[in-house]
Amino acid sequence: MSAELLRFLLVGGWPDGAPGGLLINLALFTAAFLIGLAIAVPLAVMRLAGPPPLRFAAAAFVELARATPLLLLVFWSLFLLPLAVGGYPNPLASALIGLAVHSAANQTEILRAGFAAVPAGEVEAGLAAGMSRFQTSIHIVIPQGVRRMVPAHFSFAVSLFKDTAVVYVVGVVDLLQAGLIAAERRPSEILTYYLAVAACFFLASFTITLAGRCIERRWSFARPVAA
Amino acid sequence: MRYEVDWSILARPELAALLIDGVRYTMIVAAVSTGVSLVLGTALAIARVSGSGWLRWPAELWVNLARHIPGVFWVLFFYFAFPELLPATWGSALNGWTSFALAAGIVALSVDNATYVSDIVRTGALAIPRGEWEAARCCGLSPWQQWTCCLIPVTLRTVTPPLANRTIHNFKNSSLCMVIAVPELTWATQQIESLTFRGIEATLVATLFYVTVALALGVWARRLERGGYRHWRGAGAVWRRERGELARVDSRR
């Protein structure tokens, strides 16, 4: 495999031409994760403490989005985006929207489960000690809930990164598509390219796993919270 | 841009047939790959908790590798690259086999799902109290009997709810097989889109199907989680009662 093709797998035509390859996967992953988190926080609050109509709406969104395959979410945004804003179907934007919806729904569920796992006695103790509901949330529920959800959040991050590979279906030149193009150009080296693609995916997502383990160790319950 | 929804295309027999076949293939792919991955994942989990380093290390290595590679990669790998790994005559025989795409998709999803199954089963097996492993050994059971008579039945009860959740994921992942043109439901919607430019109607039908099945499986998984204890007999229920969990579950009911 030539250095030129390896570069194509990693960054596509960037910086002279269109970015592609692993760079696109990393960009989509980062954007979808952060957008998802930004949507998930208010949704989780709505699900846990909102008035009944909001609670129901949030639950309905989460359940529907989680029950739909990611590929269909991407196809839906490919269909609906031009109807909403006009213009031609945009594969990259649609891929991002699909991934962001998937990520928002799953992160809401992780946040909800994490906060719900804080024992009710802890909340009652806070209230009994004279703290307000808000203070109880800030000082008791959130610090413990966040620590509880770290493992689930990182395993979701790994699966979201892997899921960015499905965007190749709508024609985004991500790592997988770049590998397929390269393999088509040199059919005799097909195994080399598949191996290279697998190695890139592995290294990138394994880095996320390692980061998760590192944070988990630091934030584990073994060490008391600094006051 | 405007889009006029036209439901009549779903009544056209050739398009309706695509969707009906799609449902059939989705069910076949999901059911067979779930079954295979349960067997494969359990075997990997047993290797990972076994005393022998010769079994444990390759299994650990494999699971950690496979966990970090996308499912859609496996689908493409087994369809396009796997035949190249075989001797030329076998490879061309595979490529000439009409059901090869279906088989490759099922194998790929099984490999992908087996990793998660093995994690779940391993966690379940490690949750068995030490005394129970020792008791099985002290009774003079052979390693095979220890597994089949004691450890597997006990583990099965703890791992059923998470496995049910995993099955929902695998069911949704069956849509990945569209990339190698297995005529499952997602592929059928894209086929209808390219034949008629009426993808929205077909995609809506497909989404309803996936959501209905996934939510129904979810309700089943939650019932297993909550009410499963009642039907449990034998060692699993006994040690759970000792740990006070049964009492907690009973009081909730």
Side-chain angles (χ1 to χ4, degrees):
Chain A
M1 184 165 61
S2 66
E4 186 202 343
L5 275 171
L6 182 63
R7 226 188 82 171
F8 180 61
L9 289 188
L10 292 178
V11 296
W14 189 77
D16 307 317
L22 185 59
L23 189 62
I24 287 282
N25 293 87
L26 290 171
L28 277 174
F29 161 70
T30 314
F33 189 84
L34 294 179
I35 296 173
L37 188 60
I39 301 174
V41 171
L43 275 182
V45 173
M46 269 159 67
R47 272 203 87 169
L48 288 168
L54 281 184
R55 199 179 287 200
F56 177 79
F61 166 76
V62 169
E63 291 296 319
L64 268 181
R66 274 165 52 91
T68 312
L70 174 60
L71 259 180
L72 283 184
L73 291 177
V74 173
F75 285 134
W76 271 120
S77 42
L78 197 65
F79 287 139
L80 297 181
L81 191 63
L83 295 178
V85 299
Y88 290 105
N90 181 339
L92 191 60
S94 307
L96 179 57
I97 294 174
L99 282 166
V101 169
H102 170 76
S103 143
N106 281 285
Q107 293 196 64
T108 307
E109 191 53 27
I110 293 171
L111 292 174
R112 191 194 63 77
F115 290 131
V118 176
E122 302 259 343
V123 180
E124 284 159 17
L127 293 174
M131 291 168 116
S132 67
R133 279 236 157 246
F134 181 73
Q135 284 174 319
T136 315
S137 310
I138 295 290
H139 296 297
I140 294 180
V141 179
I142 292 177
Q144 294 191 53
V146 168
R147 281 161 175 240
R148 265 169 218 275
M149 64 186 70
V150 167
H153 233 125
F154 270 93
S155 77
F156 173 70
V158 171
S159 98
L160 181 66
F161 175 74
K162 293 196 297 171
D163 283 340
T164 59
V166 308
V167 305
Y168 108 90
V169 176
V170 290
V172 177
V173 186
D174 75 325
L175 174 58
L176 197 55
Q177 181 80 287
L180 294 178
I181 294 173
E184 217 160 84
R185 255 182 241 170
R186 301 209 184 154
S188 58
E189 291 181 39
I190 178 170
L191 290 173
T192 320
Y193 289 112
Y194 273 82
L195 193 65
V197 167
C200 290
F201 273 123
F202 174 78
L203 288 176
S205 55
F206 194 62
T207 311
I208 302 173
T209 300
L210 287 182
R213 273 184 208 161
C214 193
I215 291 180
E216 231 171 281
R217 214 172 299 135
R218 262 189 198 199
W219 285 13
S220 73
F221 282 103
R223 231 187 258 185
V225 202
Chain B
M1 213 169 115
R2 283 185 54 79
Y3 186 90
E4 305 286 333
V5 180
D6 175 12
W7 295 105
S8 69
I9 63 137
L10 295 176
R12 275 162 59 181
E14 74 279 15
L15 300 183
L18 271 175
L19 287 177
I20 291 166
D21 263 0
V23 168
R24 232 184 58 212
Y25 274 98
T26 291
M27 295 314 259
I28 292 173
V29 168
V32 178
S33 67
T34 300
V36 174
S37 65
L38 285 177
V39 176
L40 204 62
T42 307
L44 276 171
I46 292 175
R48 284 169 77 192
V49 297
S50 81
S52 148
W54 288 106
L55 285 173
R56 194 167 69 235
W57 286 110
E60 282 290 344
L61 188 70
W62 171 250
V63 168
N64 278 302
L65 261 176
R67 206 206 315 268
H68 293 96
I69 292 173
V72 63
F73 172 85
W74 291 120
V75 175
L76 292 165
F77 173 81
F78 279 105
Y79 189 62
F80 290 112
F82 182 67
E84 304 286 322
L85 283 170
L86 300 174
T89 46
W90 293 18
S92 52
L94 269 187
N95 282 325
W97 180 28
T98 43
S99 305
F100 179 49
L102 179 65
I106 288 173
V107 171
L109 289 182
S110 308
V111 165
D112 186 52
N113 202 40
T115 310
Y116 295 95
V117 170
S118 98
D119 272 352
I120 293 168
V121 175
R122 175 174 170 272
T123 314
L126 291 180
I128 301 176
R130 239 192 126 68
E132 216 160 292
W133 290 81
E134 281 158 9
R137 221 170 302 146
C138 288
C139 290
L141 300 178
S142 70
W144 173 254
Q145 286 171 322
Q146 287 173 27
W147 278 106
T148 54
C149 302
C150 301
L151 304 174
I152 290 180
V154 174
T155 312
L156 259 183
R157 298 188 173 108
T158 32
V159 299
T160 312
L163 281 182
N165 280 320
R166 194 57 227 167
T167 303
I168 302 174
H169 279 276
N170 196 49
F171 165 70
K172 292 190 293 168
N173 279 350
S174 69
S175 62
L176 297 178
C177 289
M178 72 159 286
V179 303
I180 53 171
V182 174
E184 49 77 55
L185 193 53
T186 309
W187 182 86
T189 63
Q190 288 302 298
Q191 196 66 12
I192 291 174
E193 159 75 9
S194 61
L195 288 173
T196 63
F197 296 106
R198 299 220 150 264
I200 289 187
E201 291 86 342
T203 309
L204 192 63
V205 172
T207 308
L208 281 177
F209 174 76
Y210 282 114
V211 167
T212 312
V213 175
L215 289 183
L217 284 172
V219 169
W220 174 62
R222 242 162 281 162
R223 274 183 58 179
L224 283 177
E225 242 162 283
R226 260 185 234 139
Y229 291 84
R230 198 175 356 182
H231 311 291
W232 291 1
R233 299 280 180 270
V238 171
W239 72 260
R240 226 163 255 97
R241 189 176 301 130
E242 276 166 11
R243 291 166 48 139
E245 287 191 31
L246 197 65
R248 189 166 56 78
V249 170
D250 276 336
S251 69
R252 202 194 293 155
R253 206 178 285 131

